[in-house]
Amino acid sequence: MYKEYAGIVKAWEATVRKTQNSAKKRANSIFAAMSVAPADDEPGPGELHHAEKAIPNGDFYTGQWMDHMPHGHGKYLWTDGCMYVGEWYKGKTLGKGKFSWPSGATYEGDFKSGYMDGKGTYTGSSGDTYRGCWVMNLKHGQGTQNYANGDYYEGEWRRGFQDGQGRYQWKNENHYIGQWKNGKINGNGTMIWNNGNRYDGCWEDGLPKGNGTFRWADGSCYVGVWSKDPTEQTGTFYPSDSSEAEMSSDPQEIFAEYLNDFVLCSGERILIYPSQKMISWSGLDLDSPQKQTISKKGNDGNRRLRRTSVDGKVSNSSFESLNDGSNEASSRNGIGTHHLQDLDSKGKRQSNLRFQPAKRQGVTISKGHKNYELMLNLQLGIRHSVGRPAPATSLDLKSSAFDPKEKVWTKFPPEGSKYTPPHQSSDFRWKDYCPVVFRTLRKLFKVDPADYMLSICGNDALRELSSPGKSGSFFYLTHDDRYMIKTMRKAEVKVLLRMLPAYYKHVRSFENTLVTKFYGLHCVRLTGTSQKKVRFVIMGNLFCSEYTIHRRFDLKGSSHGRITDKPEAEIDGTTTLKDLDLNYIFRLQKIWFQEFCRQVDKDCDFLEQERIMDYSLLVGLHFQETSYREASTPESHHSGSNPVYEADGQLRADKEQDSARWASISLGINLPARAERTVRRAEPEAQLVGEPTGELYDVIIFFGIIDILQDYDISKKLEHAYKSFQYDPSSISAVDPKQYSKRFRDFIFRIFVEDT
């Protein structure tokens, strides 16, 4: 057995040596010879120099080098034939560059943190060409695609698909101009045939659906409702006075002949992205020949250098640990082999940035808890409301559905009834407010009824947050962190019901709205002498993600009382910090920043019109450099699917995971950004936003507008008048909605900036 194992090891070592030698020969034939500084004249830390580096897995790099990693201009050749030529920063492709695949495909343009990101041109091996904007390897923004079969698209893209306004022209010169969604014709648009016929109207999933007009070249037209389902088609045929040919007046025949077959070219698929080819340089020391030898040991003490082939598969080459024993000590401390370090204004690494271990929020409501029965009542009521059969509803709701009197009371006796099951809780009554509206909102927000019911009413108990909010409301989280349940005062219920029609119209009009998503409004009334009523609303939890939240901020743009009175040692990812605690500004990529500004304006306009004030922007930060540690930290809690890590602490680079992660990104959710540390030179009240320091961190950022149920009533007017005598009126929260909206926007647009 041992001899067989030793033979395998020798054969593997010979293969690796052969791969290294072939890579060096290929590199020597491709790259110009470059001199390497003699060993006795090694550059010091922070000094830029030229170098040639053979990587233990057979790859090869030549170019500018600093602090044990590529920095400046350089070329990297992978053993499978991929090559990058361009700018590097601290071991990552950043700036202008060109990446080529062995198939002959190329990308030339902007790179950021290893991704194709910015403006660039991809030329496929089959002849496809895309010129335009990219975000994290995918077409996103304005761009033009020329397909190898002769088709052509020019317009907006989102997450790799046509989305927004665009024009598609087939090689036979038929063309469509209008709206797209997820790569399909969707919305209002016009299809024009090369013979002069045209269709103007509504589309859904690539086919006419809804109101539209089909016109023939001679002027005849058919006006009506179109659908793939013949029973839904209605309308009127109008012949032209000059028409000599006999036209069909049957909409089904028109649909079958003209409107049922639009084949869109999908284009060439990129099998492997440049970011998936990048290795982790941290900790590698390739300057000493003895440190480039392949380890003959087992797995103990070894690290893995990941390498992704052009077919997207991940392989690992093992080589000797280069940390002279520090790995073992670090592992015992649960830290891993790297440290997250700050960068100073010159990009140099300095003090370690550490966070308290992540922990789950709240206390599980188990039997004996004071609110155990209330939780049972809530779960019984939700199961009844969501599971009750209801007719399919259109998104176009009647005004009667929003009537505050539109509510349904249900009795829940312990022994059960015709409509309710027996239960172990006390007798109670359950009220649904505007059930049709909230059912439609859940549909609009793409909430699956079965998943919704399982999250709230499954076998797992809810968790109660440790202390009530400022308003006295209690908060509960579902076991999977998807939903948050908040108890409400009667005044808040009235505000929500009053603004419900405008809220529904707003969230329907703006898919990326940042305002809180409401899924249900209910009331539990206990029977007996107390007749106590508990009203509550079910909302989406902004921080439900596979990423651990390291810092969270509640930001209003005011200064009075906006600081957390808590020792720094006790601050962790569950601590909600405030305006005067904020020590970052957030840099968003251009396309996201523009969308962010537009949406904040729209949301603030809506809240101002509804006379709402005292709302906040809730911000959560996940520092990406800590991910490797959390992969092996038992306390880490991820609500979604757990990311897969290599032994070197890097996320596994497979295309499916990258695509899934990118698909989960939307404005305010899982959004990649950079956080720049700030410092205040004056008292916090005098300088609400600190000065940038140049220390940048890659983060995943979450944000949304919360607490949107406080209207400017008489109590808030009195609060404003009273506090204005004691403090600067501009520093207090209770101000007129118009003034609040302006101050809020001014502040938010100072801490969120475009990443340049």
Side-chain angles (χ1 to χ4, degrees):
M1 180 71 180
Y2 174 78
K3 290 182 179 179
E4 182 181 354
Y5 173 74
I8 293 173
V9 171
K10 288 183 178 179
W12 177 77
E13 289 178 354
T15 302
V16 172
R17 283 196 296 271
K18 185 177 179 181
T19 303
Q20 287 179 310
N21 292 334
S22 62
K24 289 179 182 178
K25 289 177 181 178
R26 183 160 53 256
N28 289 334
S29 65
I30 293 177
F31 302 130
M34 300 178 69
S35 60
V36 182
D40 57 353
D41 192 23
E42 279 295 311
E47 291 186 22
L48 191 66
H49 63 287
H50 284 83
E52 291 182 353
K53 300 292 179 180
I55 314 302
N57 63 6
D59 297 347
F60 190 84
Y61 172 82
T62 180
Q64 292 178 299
W65 191 264
M66 186 173 74
D67 292 341
H68 310 295
M69 62 184 69
H71 187 85
H73 192 277
K75 305 177 185 180
Y76 193 107
L77 176 68
W78 286 265
T79 55
D80 59 12
C82 290
M83 184 171 70
Y84 172 80
V85 182
E87 298 174 3
W88 297 77
Y89 180 82
K90 295 292 184 181
K92 292 184 179 181
T93 56
L94 181 67
K96 300 288 183 183
K98 182 176 181 178
F99 190 95
S100 58
W101 288 260
S103 64
T106 62
Y107 168 83
E108 189 166 3
D110 296 331
F111 286 82
K112 186 178 290 184
S113 297
Y115 293 94
M116 300 184 290
D117 199 302
K119 289 187 177 180
T121 299
Y122 174 82
T123 304
S125 57
S126 63
D128 284 3
T129 303
Y130 171 82
R131 293 181 179 86
C133 298
W134 299 75
V135 174
M136 292 183 68
N137 292 331
L138 294 181
K139 303 163 190 172
H140 194 89
Q142 286 290 330
T144 300
Q145 174 89 46
N146 288 284
Y147 298 96
N149 68 348
D151 291 357
Y152 168 92
Y153 173 82
E154 181 179 15
E156 295 177 276
W157 298 76
R158 185 177 176 84
R159 299 177 185 171
F161 297 101
Q162 297 98 327
D163 199 302
Q165 193 74 18
R167 170 194 173 98
Y168 191 102
Q169 181 166 311
W170 286 262
K171 59 184 176 182
N172 62 6
E173 296 189 352
N174 293 346
H175 61 276
Y176 168 82
I177 304 171
Q179 295 176 316
W180 297 72
K181 189 170 185 178
N182 294 329
K184 292 184 178 180
I185 297 172
N186 202 99
N188 292 317
T190 299
M191 176 70 71
I192 302 176
W193 284 260
N194 54 18
N195 61 6
N197 296 345
R198 64 184 288 161
Y199 169 82
D200 299 89
C202 299
W203 299 74
E204 188 176 294
D205 289 333
L207 295 172
K209 180 71 179 291
N211 294 319
T213 301
F214 186 92
R215 292 183 175 87
W216 285 266
D218 70 349
S220 302
C221 65
Y222 185 93
V223 181
V225 176
W226 302 83
S227 174
K228 190 175 182 179
D229 183 356
T231 61
E232 296 179 0
Q233 295 190 77
T234 60
T236 306
F237 175 72
Y238 298 94
S240 170
D241 294 337
S242 60
S243 176
E244 296 179 1
E246 185 177 341
M247 299 288 182
S248 171
S249 61
D250 185 350
Q252 296 180 36
E253 292 183 19
I254 299 170
F255 195 95
E257 182 177 356
Y258 294 103
L259 303 175
N260 200 26
D261 188 21
F262 302 110
V263 179
L264 302 173
C265 186
S266 58
E268 184 175 305
R269 182 168 172 258
I270 302 176
L271 293 176
I272 183 73
Y273 295 130
S275 59
Q276 295 171 249
K277 301 292 292 178
M278 296 297 120
I279 67 169
S280 173
W281 296 91
S282 181
L284 299 187
D285 184 359
L286 304 178
D287 295 328
S288 302
Q290 65 271 21
K291 291 186 179 181
Q292 297 184 32
T293 59
I294 303 298
S295 174
K296 296 181 181 180
K297 300 176 183 178
N299 289 331
D300 294 340
N302 284 359
R303 294 182 55 201
R304 304 291 247 180
L305 182 65
R306 59 178 186 160
R307 184 174 70 208
T308 311
S309 62
V310 290
D311 62 358
K313 296 178 181 177
V314 178
S315 62
N316 291 298
S317 300
S318 180
F319 59 97
E320 203 168 25
S321 173
L322 307 176
N323 289 328
D324 21 296
S326 61
N327 285 358
E328 185 180 350
S330 297
S331 299
R332 285 198 301 267
N333 294 329
I335 301 173
T337 58
H338 304 283
H339 299 282
L340 173 62
Q341 295 178 315
D342 293 347
L343 298 177
D344 63 17
S345 58
K346 296 181 181 179
K348 295 182 180 179
R349 298 186 179 275
Q350 47 183 36
S351 60
N352 289 336
L353 177 62
R354 299 183 182 277
F355 297 101
Q356 295 290 334
K359 61 182 180 181
R360 298 195 75 171
Q361 281 186 285
V363 177
T364 301
I365 304 176
S366 53
K367 199 164 187 177
H369 191 283
K370 63 178 181 179
N371 287 325
Y372 180 70
E373 280 202 359
L374 178 63
M375 180 190 74
L376 293 181
N377 297 346
L378 186 154
Q379 292 179 323
L380 285 164
I382 293 291
R383 191 179 291 117
H384 171 75
S385 298
V386 179
R388 185 173 57 217
T393 56
S394 164
L395 294 180
D396 297 316
L397 296 178
K398 296 179 180 179
S399 57
S400 59
F402 297 93
D403 190 335
K405 297 178 182 178
E406 187 70 17
K407 49 196 173 189
V408 179
W409 278 104
T410 305
K411 291 183 179 180
F412 278 81
E415 66 275 11
S417 68
K418 183 179 178 181
Y419 303 103
T420 62
H423 58 86
Q424 298 178 352
S425 182
S426 58
D427 191 8
F428 71 95
R429 294 183 70 191
W430 171 265
K431 185 198 291 188
D432 273 329
Y433 294 92
C434 299
V436 175
V437 177
F438 285 102
R439 190 185 312 126
T440 312
L441 279 171
R442 293 194 293 270
K443 178 181 176 182
L444 187 66
F445 294 141
K446 298 180 176 59
V447 173
D448 181 78
D451 289 343
Y452 181 73
M453 193 187 304
L454 195 62
S455 290
I456 302 174
C457 314
N459 294 328
D460 297 282
L462 302 177
R463 304 198 311 277
E464 183 179 75
L465 298 193
S466 56
S467 60
K470 186 179 177 181
S471 63
S473 299
F474 282 86
F475 292 86
Y476 304 92
L477 280 172
T478 57
H479 71 96
D480 56 7
D481 285 352
R482 286 189 177 185
Y483 305 103
M484 182 172 284
I485 300 166
K486 175 190 175 186
T487 61
M488 301 180 73
R489 293 176 286 111
K490 186 176 182 179
E492 290 178 307
V493 173
K494 287 184 175 180
V495 171
L496 179 53
L497 292 174
R498 186 204 75 205
M499 66 186 287
L500 194 56
Y503 172 83
Y504 181 82
K505 181 181 178 182
H506 181 76
V507 298
R508 187 181 175 188
S509 300
F510 301 103
E511 182 182 0
N512 288 325
T513 180
L514 299 175
V515 298
T516 304
K517 289 181 170 62
F518 294 122
Y519 299 118
L521 182 62
H522 312 281
C523 176
V524 169
R525 189 171 78 178
L526 304 177
T527 56
T529 54
S530 67
Q531 295 283 303
K532 181 183 177 183
K533 286 184 179 180
V534 181
R535 304 169 184 87
F536 56 89
V537 65
I538 301 175
M539 308 175 289
N541 178 19
L542 183 64
F543 296 151
C544 176
S545 172
E546 66 182 28
Y547 296 106
T548 301
I549 302 300
H550 296 121
R551 285 290 178 268
R552 62 183 70 199
F553 297 91
D554 180 286
L555 307 172
K556 294 179 183 289
S558 57
S559 59
H560 177 64
R562 302 295 297 162
I563 192 167
T564 304
D565 186 17
K566 199 171 188 180
E568 188 173 348
E570 296 179 16
I571 294 174
D572 59 20
T574 64
T575 306
T576 301
L577 303 171
K578 299 179 183 178
D579 300 65
L580 298 183
D581 303 305
L582 182 66
N583 57 341
Y584 297 101
I585 59 173
F586 309 114
R587 298 189 173 276
L588 304 183
Q589 292 171 339
K590 181 177 180 180
I591 193 163
W592 289 115
F593 178 70
Q594 291 173 341
E595 192 171 339
F596 171 78
C597 292
R598 284 194 298 268
Q599 195 58 56
V600 168
D601 279 333
K602 294 293 184 183
D603 290 340
C604 287
D605 286 344
F606 158 68
L607 295 171
E608 184 181 326
Q609 290 165 9
E610 292 301 308
R611 302 287 296 164
I612 302 297
M613 44 76 67
D614 213 23
Y615 44 87
S616 308
L617 187 76
L618 185 63
V619 177
L621 298 178
H622 168 84
F623 288 82
Q624 294 198 73
E625 291 91 338
T626 64
S627 297
Y628 68 90
R629 282 187 287 148
E630 293 169 355
S632 58
T633 303
E635 295 86 357
S636 298
H637 170 66
H638 298 285
S639 304
S641 58
N642 289 326
V644 182
Y645 294 83
E646 300 297 342
D648 67 351
Q650 297 293 320
L651 279 172
R652 177 186 291 172
D654 63 50
K655 187 172 188 295
E656 289 73 16
Q657 190 181 52
D658 278 359
S659 298
R661 180 167 289 109
W662 177 232
S664 71
I665 295 173
S666 60
L667 188 65
I669 302 295
N670 290 342
L671 194 61
R674 293 201 297 172
E676 182 173 2
R677 189 183 289 278
T678 60
V679 294
R680 292 182 177 86
R681 307 296 182 189
E683 288 297 319
E685 288 81 0
Q687 189 180 13
L688 198 55
V689 180
E691 298 173 14
T693 63
E695 297 176 17
L696 294 165
Y697 306 93
D698 289 330
V699 297
I700 303 296
I701 191 169
F702 303 78
F703 49 82
I705 298 175
I706 63 169
D707 295 338
I708 63 169
L709 297 178
Q710 178 60 62
D711 64 346
Y712 196 53
D713 57 12
I714 186 63
S715 65
K716 286 295 178 181
K717 291 178 181 177
L718 290 172
E719 180 185 343
H720 173 75
Y722 173 73
K723 288 185 176 179
S724 294
F725 284 111
Q726 298 175 295
Y727 311 103
D728 178 2
S730 64
S731 70
I732 59 179
S733 295
V735 295
D736 176 86
K738 188 171 184 178
Q739 183 183 344
Y740 191 94
S741 173
K742 182 180 184 305
R743 185 181 66 188
F744 180 81
R745 284 187 242 201
D746 289 345
F747 175 68
I748 296 303
F749 292 149
R750 288 176 63 195
I751 62 171
F752 280 83
V753 298
E754 182 182 336
D755 196 2
T756 54

